[in-house]
Amino acid sequence: MASRGGFNSRIGFIAAAAGSAVGLGNIWKFPFEVGDGGGAAFVVIYLAFAFLLCFPVMVTEIAIGRRTNKNPVGAFTDLGHKNWRIVGILGVLAGVLILSFYNVVAGWAFGYFVEMLMGHFTIGQNFGTFITDMVKVGSYGVLFMVATALIVSRGISGGIERASKILMPTLIVMMLGLVAYSFTLPHAIEGIKFYLLPDFSKITLPVMYNALGQAFFSLSLGMGALITYGSYVDKKENIVTSAAYITLADVGIAFLAGLMMFPFVFSQGLEPTGGAGLIFVTLPGIFGTLGPTLGILVGATFFLLLSFAALTSTVSLLEVPVSYVVDEHKVKRKKAVGLVAGVIFLLGIPSMMANGYSGFFSHFITYLGAGKATDFMTFIGHIASDSFLPLGGALIAIFAAYVWKKHNLNEEIEQGFPGFKGSLGEKYIDFAITYLAPVVLIIIFVLTVLDRFFGINYF
Ligand code: TRP
């Protein structure tokens, strides 16, 4: 498949896939989910889901991609019946929708980097004004989409692989620096305790439900992003150990993000339940207390880091629909990128306006039984990330176990991993995709749809 391109090295694939996984989900979303979910108890549940349920699904996605050398739509068509292409289409659609709003938040992150460089530490209090400034939000949005498109248009090894190999290690170094700094703050220890000492009475159904959703989103599962990346992987690679590295990197960086955030929050005497604003509202003021020079240095570093993390994720979100258009409609990569990125940018405009600028998009829809309206951006998130991903994950597992069949999956994994067949690892992965993942994910999907859109909640 030389014409389709591929990763040049094992580490390149791992860096790109870990780059896809590590993003706003880890650094922005994870800490506030932990804050809302009661601290360390949430962390424990999240870790259990990530390793026990998500990891086998990840192995399966990569194996499907490598076996077929195709985008998700082509992959399901090749291995199963052509009706199964609907799972691939669901994935392409999820990629398009998620990227449309993810790019907006990524633009905010980059905008905050610029504000920090200028020493505007009061931006946190003015977050509401910032996100309704359509000139700024629009320009940063364009900039971010263009950067994403440039990387994707250069193809797998020259674009995605090379960018990830530089950005990922840089991110880890910056992050470690910030964690070390946060530990030196007064009251840091209270934050660390909140984060690391679990209170098991806080484990409730909603906490489990959020933890699973978070693990899925964070690991980039359920829409075929890893089928697509897997399609560029060499037969010599060991899929299981690669997936283990990707999972560890993703979980590790989310863990570091929490380790940094809670000392910051507690040192300011703030509540950990700060919600989605934890990063954009709380942090700039904290950087401001460091004085102008150090404040600018730490603040700009942080938001640059967040932008890098987001960039390797937007790249993977764009690669899914692009590879679909390239493979299935025989369009040249550069043209496909321009087309798809343009459409997604346009689809993102309502999300840009959904945070106070436009009354219509800010109060877009009122679900049955809900007291207040949901904005357009949150609505798209509910559909694409909260509903499509668990559904897609369940269907991927069901497909591999019952349609493609386990012995074929195991044969694909065995290539690059001699001795896999008959091992404990094989037995566990078989169990997880045959029973555990379909059952748990379908339950989560049904409960989410009932709860989100029909106001029926059982817990
Ligand atoms: N995992 C990324 C994050 O945590 C987001 C992301 C990138 C994603 N590609 C994906 C989520 C594919 C689901 C599916 O920010």
Side-chain angles (χ1 to χ4, degrees):
M1 300 306 283
S3 61
R4 233 174 136 257
F7 290 107
N8 272 333
S9 63
R10 168 150 205 246
I11 191 74
F13 162 61
I14 292 172
S20 162
V22 174
L24 297 169
N26 305 58
I27 302 172
W28 167 61
K29 210 156 161 270
F30 180 71
F32 81 73
E33 293 275 358
V34 174
D36 287 346
F42 178 95
V43 181
V44 172
I45 303 288
Y46 163 82
L47 290 175
F49 279 140
F51 289 106
L52 298 179
L53 197 152
C54 296
F55 170 71
V57 175
M58 181 183 287
V59 169
T60 307
E61 279 203 28
I62 300 173
I64 291 176
R66 189 175 71 172
R67 172 57 161 260
T68 54
N69 270 292
K70 288 268 173 71
N71 68 88
V73 178
F76 285 107
T77 313
D78 272 16
L79 294 182
H81 189 268
K82 82 173 184 333
N83 287 345
W84 276 92
R85 64 202 297 274
I86 187 81
V87 184
I89 291 170
L90 196 73
V92 171
L93 216 70
V96 167
L97 292 177
I98 293 177
L99 182 54
S100 78
F101 71 81
Y102 196 97
N103 183 65
V104 177
V105 182
W108 298 349
F110 190 74
Y112 262 56
F113 163 66
V114 176
E115 300 287 334
M116 286 294 114
L117 279 183
M118 297 190 296
H120 294 168
F121 298 114
T122 51
I123 186 76
Q125 299 139 33
N126 302 324
F127 178 55
T129 318
F130 177 85
I131 56 178
T132 49
D133 183 335
M134 283 303 111
V135 175
K136 279 190 182 163
V137 170
S139 323
Y140 291 129
V142 170
L143 209 76
F144 216 91
M145 190 60 88
V146 168
T148 306
L150 279 178
I151 295 176
V152 175
S153 70
R154 284 166 181 247
I156 296 305
S157 59
I160 296 175
E161 178 169 353
R162 193 189 294 170
S164 308
K165 266 165 74 179
I166 301 168
L167 295 181
M168 288 304 293
T170 314
L171 188 145
I172 292 172
V173 171
M174 283 191 210
M175 192 104 197
L176 287 172
L178 286 170
V179 171
Y181 172 72
S182 81
F183 275 24
T184 66
L185 297 172
H187 304 292
I189 188 73
E190 286 157 37
I192 295 169
K193 277 189 189 149
F194 172 80
Y195 186 51
L196 295 182
L197 293 181
D199 169 358
F200 286 105
S201 69
K202 293 207 167 126
I203 301 179
T204 59
L205 256 171
V207 166
M208 296 180 73
Y209 165 100
N210 286 344
L212 178 67
Q214 172 62 19
F216 237 73
F217 182 82
S218 181
L219 289 163
S220 298
L221 293 175
M223 57 159 265
L226 288 169
I227 294 181
T228 309
Y229 276 17
S231 75
Y232 304 112
V233 170
D234 197 279
K235 293 283 184 200
K236 290 195 300 289
E237 304 301 353
N238 183 326
I239 295 177
V240 176
T241 51
S242 298
Y245 284 127
I246 297 160
T247 306
L248 282 173
D250 184 64
V251 166
I253 289 183
F255 188 76
L256 281 180
L259 215 49
M260 164 191 80
M261 193 63 68
F262 292 106
F264 274 148
V265 168
F266 278 76
S267 74
Q268 297 296 304
L270 295 166
E271 284 301 317
T273 48
L278 209 51
I279 273 186
F280 291 111
V281 177
T282 312
L283 279 184
I286 296 177
F287 298 142
T289 61
L290 303 176
T293 318
L294 191 61
I296 289 177
L297 189 73
V298 178
T301 305
F302 177 82
F303 285 105
L304 187 63
L305 171 158
L306 190 62
S307 308
F308 281 176
L311 186 58
T312 47
S313 297
T314 53
V315 159
S316 83
L317 286 163
L318 183 60
E319 175 61 24
V320 174
V322 163
S323 72
Y324 162 69
V325 174
V326 170
D327 290 352
E328 307 296 310
H329 298 283
K330 310 281 173 260
V331 177
K332 286 239 160 51
R333 175 168 276 269
K334 285 211 161 61
K335 196 168 153 200
V337 169
L339 210 80
V340 176
V343 169
I344 295 176
F345 180 79
L346 294 178
L347 281 177
I349 291 177
S351 285
M352 285 182 183
M353 305 198 294
N355 300 285
Y357 178 78
S358 144
F360 177 70
F361 288 119
S362 305
H363 308 278
F364 186 66
I365 187 168
T366 307
Y367 300 143
L368 284 174
K372 59 179 175 38
T374 300
D375 69 273
F376 184 83
M377 189 167 179
T378 311
F379 172 64
I380 297 292
H382 286 164
I383 294 196
S385 348
D386 300 350
S387 308
F388 283 10
L389 296 183
L391 177 65
L395 291 172
I396 289 168
I398 291 170
F399 175 83
Y402 301 99
V403 180
W404 185 33
K405 300 273 194 275
K406 281 177 281 183
H407 67 268
N408 287 315
L409 170 69
N410 292 335
E411 216 156 82
E412 183 60 37
I413 300 172
E414 176 90 13
Q415 293 195 48
F417 186 177
F420 174 70
K421 283 194 211 162
S423 69
L424 209 64
E426 183 208 314
K427 292 199 177 72
Y428 184 75
I429 290 174
D430 281 355
F431 160 74
I433 64 156
T434 315
Y435 306 106
L436 187 70
V439 171
V440 174
L441 292 173
I442 291 285
I443 291 176
I444 295 278
F445 173 71
V446 171
L447 289 181
T448 307
V449 171
L450 290 177
D451 175 74
R452 290 267 200 263
F453 305 113
F454 299 98
I456 304 168
N457 41 59
Y458 291 107
F459 48 80

